[in-house]
Amino acid sequence: MATSIHETVLIGISDGVIDKKKNTPYCSNKIGDKPDLLPVITLQYPSCALCQRGLSHVVQVYCPLAASPYHRNINVFACTNPQCYGKSESWIVLRSQCLDDYITSRQYNKTTACTESAMSRTDCCDEADDWGMDDEEQVAKSGGQMPNDSTDISSRLQELCIDGDHQSVLQPTDVPVFQPVYISVMEETDLDGFHDTDHENELFGEYEKREGVIVREIQSCGEAQEAKHGDEVFTSFMKKISLCPEQVLRYSWAGSPLFITEPPSSVSQTVPCCAHCSSPRVFEFQLMPALVGLLSSADTNSDISLEFGTVLVYTCRNSCWKSGSTAPVEEFLVVQLDPDQKLFK
């Protein structure tokens, strides 16, 4: 698969707690709460493959693909049982789609604006439409619509919203719920001047003291210095996110994941093909360590948490979807533990 020379990365940043009394539309990008289902979708609530407990909703990402007639959501769930932390089997990622024509026929009120964050939706990626696929790879192998080597997130976020007539999921009462928080989206290249320099310096000071490596010197001169524990992958990870350590999500459809620990020798063999159309899966987005500190219980009388380093989400390259389907499609994810999780708290 060909990739563009300049890979575009979208960054997700927390942007305020969501009012518990307010229903969010399915076009929302958010942390926690319950998932907001597309109009045709019904959800059988997922459970942990290890302990059979109900999984808590971690993030919702509204991510339609350009040149596709489908609205598209991805929801990530995880088990809050401490014994299941760091194990991919205790997580699940579900992809849902709905034809735009169906939503139009329901006559939703598109004039009602989606909840605006402090950062304007127009700050999203307006030019992230060349993420690189060969023309011959754009032909779908199934009934789904193949993305035209692009992702058009920003225009959909600006144009699409619904007003009160959306479906919600019936979540079991015994499943912990994380406090709902909006996620704002912007291009990584637009982050200069946005981040908290004092907080960044504090984070790197702690890391440098522990590991005996001057990260900021690595950034400025490009020298391949090595941390005491020999984890060059983690050092590289820290360098990459240094502009915005508080990022909770990185999105780059068919792009390159950012590993926090040494990846498997052959990632392509580790990630299975789509179970429905047999097409390869591509990297789509990952959850970042800063998200951990934001995952608090929506119930002030309970205390829940989740531990991970990064969660890499891979989805069907064709984004295949069977006509008339009402159930989400399970995709694939990889959980990596963070060797220095406390750095991001």
Side-chain angles (χ1 to χ4, degrees), residues 67-104:
S68 170
Y70 289 96
H71 295 285
R72 184 172 177 270
N73 266 4
I74 295 180
N75 296 91
V76 180
F77 302 80
C79 182
T80 58
N81 182 355
Q83 296 181 352
C84 298
Y85 286 170
K87 300 176 182 178
S88 298
E89 297 88 346
S90 66
W91 292 68
I92 193 170
V93 53
L94 301 177
R95 170 173 55 87
S96 302
Q97 297 183 192
C98 180
L99 283 171
D100 181 63
D101 289 346
Y102 178 86
I103 293 178
T104 302

Side-chain angles (χ1 to χ4, degrees), residues 53-339:
R53 296 186 184 184
L55 300 183
S56 298
H57 183 240
V58 180
V59 296
Q60 174 175 295
V61 181
Y62 176 66
C63 46
L65 300 174
S68 170
Y70 289 96
H71 295 285
R72 184 172 177 270
N73 266 4
I74 295 180
N75 296 91
V76 180
F77 302 80
C79 182
T80 58
N81 182 355
Q83 296 181 352
C84 298
Y85 286 170
K87 300 176 182 178
S88 298
E89 297 88 346
S90 66
W91 292 68
I92 193 170
V93 53
L94 301 177
R95 170 173 55 87
S96 302
Q97 297 183 192
C98 180
L99 283 171
D100 181 63
D101 289 346
Y102 178 86
I103 293 178
T104 302
S105 69
R106 293 285 296 271
Q107 296 181 342
Y108 284 114
N109 182 6
K110 294 187 179 182
T111 63
T112 302
C114 288
T115 302
E116 291 291 341
S117 62
M119 192 161 36
S120 171
R121 297 301 188 191
T122 58
D123 288 336
C124 299
C125 180
D126 290 327
E127 298 179 357
D129 58 355
D130 186 14
W131 292 7
M133 287 193 65
D134 293 330
D135 291 341
E136 62 269 19
E137 293 179 344
Q138 296 178 9
V139 180
K141 295 181 180 180
S142 68
Q145 176 72 26
M146 179 60 192
N148 184 20
D149 75 4
S150 57
T151 300
D152 187 14
I153 297 178
S154 59
S155 63
R156 295 288 184 124
L157 282 174
Q158 295 172 45
E159 296 172 1
L160 176 66
C161 198
I162 56 180
D163 185 16
D165 190 22
H166 68 287
Q167 289 183 273
S168 184
V169 62
L170 295 177
Q171 180 169 298
T173 56
D174 59 343
V175 174
V177 178
F178 290 116
Q179 184 179 48
V181 177
Y182 286 117
I183 299 177
S184 285
V185 184
M186 65 190 306
E187 284 193 61
E188 186 176 44
T189 54
D190 292 337
L191 286 174
D192 191 20
F194 176 81
H195 64 292
D196 186 339
T197 303
D198 292 338
H199 181 55
E200 175 188 327
N201 290 336
E202 181 182 351
L203 291 176
F204 282 118
E206 294 177 8
Y207 175 64
E208 291 168 349
K209 184 177 180 180
R210 281 200 311 275
E211 306 302 339
V213 58
I214 308 302
V215 177
R216 283 160 287 195
E217 285 186 7
I218 296 175
Q219 294 172 308
S220 61
C221 65
E223 295 177 0
Q225 300 190 42
E226 186 175 344
K228 282 183 179 179
H229 53 57
D231 194 345
E232 296 180 6
V233 175
F234 182 69
T235 303
S236 177
F237 183 94
M238 292 293 295
K239 285 170 53 182
K240 188 66 176 177
I241 70 169
S242 63
L243 190 61
C244 183
E246 64 268 34
Q247 61 189 269
V248 298
L249 186 146
R250 293 175 66 87
Y251 187 101
S252 183
W253 190 88
S256 302
L258 184 58
F259 295 101
I260 198 169
T261 58
E262 192 69 34
S265 56
S266 179
V267 177
S268 59
Q269 294 181 7
T270 303
V271 179
C273 292
C274 176
H276 298 273
C277 70
S278 300
S279 296
R281 283 189 170 101
V282 296
F283 171 76
E284 183 155 354
F285 67 87
Q286 65 189 103
L287 308 183
M288 304 298 286
L291 175 60
V292 172
L294 296 173
L295 293 173
S296 59
S297 176
D299 182 359
T300 56
N301 296 319
S302 66
D303 184 21
I304 58 173
S305 61
L306 197 60
E307 296 287 347
F308 62 88
T310 187
V311 180
L312 313 170
V313 174
Y314 295 82
T315 59
C316 174
R317 186 186 66 186
N318 287 343
S319 197
C320 65
W321 190 256
K322 184 177 180 181
S323 177
S325 179
T326 60
V329 172
E330 183 175 353
E331 293 288 10
F332 185 78
L333 55 74
V334 175
V335 177
Q336 288 193 312
L337 293 176
D338 190 343

